[in-house]
Structures are given as C-alpha cells and as structure tokens.
Amino acid sequence: MSDTTTELPTVVIGAGPAGLAAAAHLRERGLDFLVLEAGPHAGTATREWSHVRLFSTWGEVVDPAAEKLLLRTGWTKPDPAGYPTGGDWAALYLQPLADALGDRVRYGARVTGVSRAGRDRVVDADRDTQPFTVHVETGDGREERVSARAVIDASGTWSNPGPAGGDGLKALGERAAADRITHRVPDLRDPAVRARYAGKRTAVIGSGASAFTALAYLADLAGTAAGAGTHATWILRRGISGSTFGGGDADQLPARGALGLAAKAAVDDGHADAVTGFRTDAFERDGDGRLVLVGEDGRRLDPVDEVIVLTGFRPDLSFLDELRLGLDERLQAPLALAPLIDPNQHSCGTVHPHGQAELSHPEKDLYLVGMKSYGRAPTFLAMTGYEQVRSIAAHLAGDRAAAERVELTLPETGACGGAGLFDQPEPTEREREQGGGCCAAPTLLTFGASGPAPAAVSSGGC
C-alpha cells in the first residue's frame, strides 16, 4: 500500500457498539477514522429494541478504550453490576461515545457499495496497493465517494431477520400474512402494541434469547386483568430437553440463565404451549381470518391471531459484492472464525476470543466485526466484538504483538443448542435424567400469574 493510501482514514460502517468501539481503539492508536452511520444517531438499531434488557451487565458492555475516552469528558459510568436496556445502552453509552468522537462520526450516511479504486473483484493487478472506495448515499439523496485505507464493517444484522420457513426461505403465505407477523420482540409497554396481543393467541417461533423474552412478556401480560386470555404457542424446530432453556443456575451470566427459566415457567404455568419438531411450511387463514401454521410434516396448528418470528438474523453482504470475501459456506462467517462458533459443533462451553487473524479475508484490510462477523451463528457477546476491534486496530497500527495477544476471558455460556442441533433425535430417558447430556436441568422459576415477572433480557450483542 502506498504512503498516500496509508494516510487515508479507516472507514467504519455503523455507529453501534462494535463500530464505535473500533473508532475508539483507532483513535487511541493515533489512526484516522471515519464512522458512517445510516441512521440519525448512534445505536440506531439498538434503540429499536430499547425496551429489552440485556443479559450482560454494564461492566460487560462498555469497551475499555471507549471508557477511557468517555471518562476524559466527565462521563459517569453506570453501575457495572446493573443490567441496561437497549435504550439505556444507546442513551447512556453509545451516544455519549459518538459525541466524544466528534465530527468523525457521520449520520444519515448509508454505505451502498465498497470496492477497490479502479478494480472490480476480478482484477488482480496492484489490487492490495489501491485504496478502498466507499460509496455513500446521504439522507438528502446525494451520492458521495469516500477513499479509505481499510474498512471495518460493523453494520450488524438487525435489518435482515430470518424468516419463519423451516427451509430458510419465507413460508408459503408468509408475505401475505405480514400484517399479522412481527420479527421483533414486542414492546408491551406501548398501549397500542399491548392491545394487539392482549387476550389473543400468539405463535412464537424461535428457541433463543429473543423467543424467551417474548414468552416472558406474553406470560406477564397473561397474568394481568387486562391480559386475561393471552396465550402463546411456542414453536420449536427441535424437541425439548434439559438444554432447551439454557444453563439455568449454572450460567455464568446469571440474567441469561434466569431468562431461560422464565421461558420454562411460562410453559409450566400454562401461559404457553410448546410445539416441538415443527418446521413451518405455510401460513393459511381460517374462516375468521386467523392464521393457521402448517408444518412440513402436514401438521396444522390451532389458529392464532398473531405470529412473532424470532429465528435469528443474517448478514447483508450485498454492498460488499465487489470485494473478495472468505466466508464459510454455511454460517457466512469468516473462514477461520466459523469453526469456533459453528452451532453444528459447539452446543456448550466458550467461544475462543479471536481477533485480526481469524477475521481476515482475501481482501486485505477488510474486516467484518461484531454481530456481522458471526454470520448466521446465534450467540454473540459485546465483549467478543470489543476484543475483535482492539486486535484489528493494533494490527492496522503495526503492533503485531498486541494484535495477536488475547486480552479477554469470556464467561461460560451455560447454554446448549443452536440451529445445527434442530435435527438431533429426542433425548433418551437416561439423558433426561442427566440433564440433557451437557447442561444441568434448569430449576423452576415462579413467573406470570403466580409471581412477579423478571426483567426481560436479551443478548449483549451488537
């Protein structure tokens, strides 16, 4: 790369947790950067789930370099032991951090394409010596071109939720039923949203933290006078075992363990019915206009009024099409990272901390970080993203030792399962007695009509 190119900024795509942390680390290293955020403020996606509480504490979702920068501005760090909501995270950390980074964070700047200057993805000649060219569409419809020495894509996956269909495509009739389907955990504090689900039957499709949260919210609503008759049908593509509800008391992230127990209580207390081994094939309407879900095996479920589809997210790779990506064919994660996070292999334990080496692509100095780096893999922690960008910033600064050094210890996940286990057979009686074979069976948590609702929690991802 030429001296002229090295003087260019590193472009960071997205002003969410990972993107702003990347900027903080680049600044700490004395490297120029430019953060391009499509939304009108920092943490635009995070604000869309502002009502959901993270299962990571404040101490686990504040990046060290970002904290140093913020403390110099007089910022007061929230209680490290507290659990922020998405709204708290955005308002009390992400926006102050973006403000501290100043005019190097641009809003209303949507990246529509990234390439090498004068080189499409086919051309080899002098490719690595050319700067990146980043095409940007501004809020007022103008188009710009920004040159960069490196690109860190921290745009996340929020805008690309997975469909209901068991084959990874939208189920037949899913588009036509869009007026009754949401891909987000509903904010039942909003009177209009609450009225949509109160007294209704709702199908919840999914088996992760978001599905647990939705079940907890609906069970809490069912326990109120205004929510009498509220009922959930929980649809899982696999069976229920001791691992379905996560690590329970064994989880080193206690709030995440409590979330799984809350979902279990929703079923045990009769606020939800679990339908297992069901892969949605089609949505049909009955004579009253309610939705009937049809499975690949021909099963037809009882009609429901609403459907909440929480089947994960996928990376949008369309604006990187002219770059040479090295992605795993299943997870759409970087090739060296995929084996560390593959849900077909990893159902319990830890994901090894990783950095620049595991995140590299054939396209030199291009990195996908944060949630986007995980592709379709479901379990991501903010701490992991912070370690990623620390290592990348060190590499770009020429500090090889720091780039290769691991500066993070992750908690045990305490959770089993993932998309890769959907086709596993039902556990044997002996496996049930042993807690599903890998995690201790959760203990019952009083919930819903018979007790107070715990705080709803979600991932500490970004």
Side-chain angles (χ1 to χ4, degrees):
M1 187 171 288
S2 68
D3 292 339
T4 302
T5 299
T6 57
E7 294 175 357
L8 294 172
T10 292
V11 165
V12 179
I13 305 173
L20 292 175
H25 281 276
L26 291 167
R27 175 171 173 153
E28 187 174 62
R29 290 279 180 175
L31 302 176
D32 191 16
F33 62 90
L34 179 64
V35 180
L36 301 175
E37 165 59 43
H41 34 52
T44 298
T46 305
R47 294 169 193 261
E48 292 190 19
W49 48 272
S50 62
H51 58 294
V52 179
R53 193 170 299 280
L54 281 74
F55 53 57
S56 296
T57 65
W58 271 114
E60 296 160 336
V61 297
V62 173
D63 173 77
E67 181 176 351
K68 292 178 186 177
L69 175 60
L70 282 167
L71 289 175
R72 291 197 292 269
T73 70
W75 175 75
T76 300
K77 183 178 180 179
D79 178 5
Y83 292 90
T85 63
D88 296 334
W89 204 13
L92 302 180
Y93 169 64
L94 298 179
Q95 193 61 59
L97 176 55
D99 294 343
L101 294 166
D103 61 5
R104 304 311 289 167
V105 180
R106 288 182 52 190
Y107 304 111
R110 180 178 298 279
V111 173
T112 59
V114 184
S115 188
R116 290 281 187 180
R119 308 288 190 276
D120 63 20
R121 68 185 296 167
V122 176
V123 178
D124 291 333
D126 300 322
R127 186 175 191 87
D128 288 349
T129 67
Q130 300 304 309
F132 289 96
T133 178
V134 181
H135 287 226
V136 182
E137 183 178 290
T138 64
D140 57 7
R142 292 181 295 108
E143 292 181 307
E144 299 179 6
R145 197 180 279 121
V146 177
S147 295
R149 65 161 294 195
V151 173
I152 298 175
D153 181 0
S155 59
T157 58
W158 177 256
S159 63
N160 205 23
D167 57 4
L169 303 175
K170 287 186 179 294
L172 297 180
E174 187 170 347
R175 290 183 178 85
D179 61 319
R180 299 289 186 88
I181 299 174
T182 182
H183 293 269
R184 313 298 189 205
V185 176
D187 183 0
L188 298 183
R189 302 171 305 174
D190 183 322
V193 176
R194 195 174 183 89
R196 177 175 176 175
Y197 296 95
K200 305 291 181 59
R201 295 187 67 88
T202 299
V204 178
I205 304 176
S207 60
S210 294
F212 290 171
T213 302
L215 289 167
Y217 279 5
L218 292 170
D220 185 35
L221 178 59
T224 67
T230 303
H231 193 81
T233 300
W234 185 20
I235 299 174
L236 299 98
R237 292 170 177 168
R238 53 177 169 146
I240 290 181
S241 69
S243 64
T244 297
F245 302 98
D249 295 335
D251 199 318
Q252 289 189 22
L253 290 177
R256 179 173 54 190
L259 176 59
L261 298 179
K264 183 178 189 298
V267 176
D268 290 345
D269 290 349
H271 298 310
D273 297 320
V275 178
T276 61
F278 189 94
R279 292 176 175 268
T280 306
D281 183 68
F283 288 82
E284 298 179 357
R285 292 189 187 259
D286 68 4
D288 296 325
R290 304 172 80 193
L291 295 178
V292 176
L293 276 63
V294 182
E296 291 179 345
D297 57 4
R299 278 186 289 170
R300 302 171 65 86
L301 303 185
D302 291 337
V304 295
D305 302 288
E306 301 288 342
V307 179
I308 302 173
V309 180
L310 301 168
T311 54
F313 297 88
R314 301 172 177 184
D316 176 9
L317 303 170
S318 60
F319 60 87
L320 303 177
D321 195 48
E322 290 305 319
L323 299 176
R324 298 176 177 180
L325 303 179
L327 297 175
D328 180 77
E329 63 185 7
R330 295 164 299 167
L331 297 184
Q332 295 179 297
L335 284 168
L337 174 60
L340 305 179
I341 62 175
D342 187 353
N344 290 290
Q345 302 295 328
H346 299 282
S347 60
C348 292
T350 61
V351 172
H352 294 288
H354 51 276
Q356 180 271 334
E358 292 84 359
L359 296 169
S360 295
H361 292 271
E363 198 72 65
K364 185 175 180 291
D365 291 336
L366 168 72
Y367 300 98
L368 277 58
V369 302
M371 281 290 295
K372 192 161 187 176
S373 70
Y374 271 44
R376 298 193 184 199
T379 52
F380 177 81
L381 296 175
M383 292 182 290
T384 302
Y386 298 157
E387 174 67 3
Q388 290 177 342
V389 298
R390 182 206 62 78
S391 173
I392 291 168
H395 172 75
L396 293 175
D399 189 344
R400 179 176 177 180
E404 296 177 352
R405 187 168 59 241
V406 174
E407 297 185 4
L408 172 67
T409 300
L410 290 172
E412 292 287 339
T413 66
C416 306
L421 298 183
F422 286 161
D423 290 325
Q424 293 292 340
E426 292 286 339
T428 65
E429 187 63 33
R430 181 177 180 181
E431 288 172 333
R432 290 190 186 97
E433 292 173 357
Q434 294 175 343
C438 70
C439 298
T443 57
L444 180 62
L445 178 70
T446 303
F447 183 75
S450 57
V457 289
S458 184
S459 71
C462 39

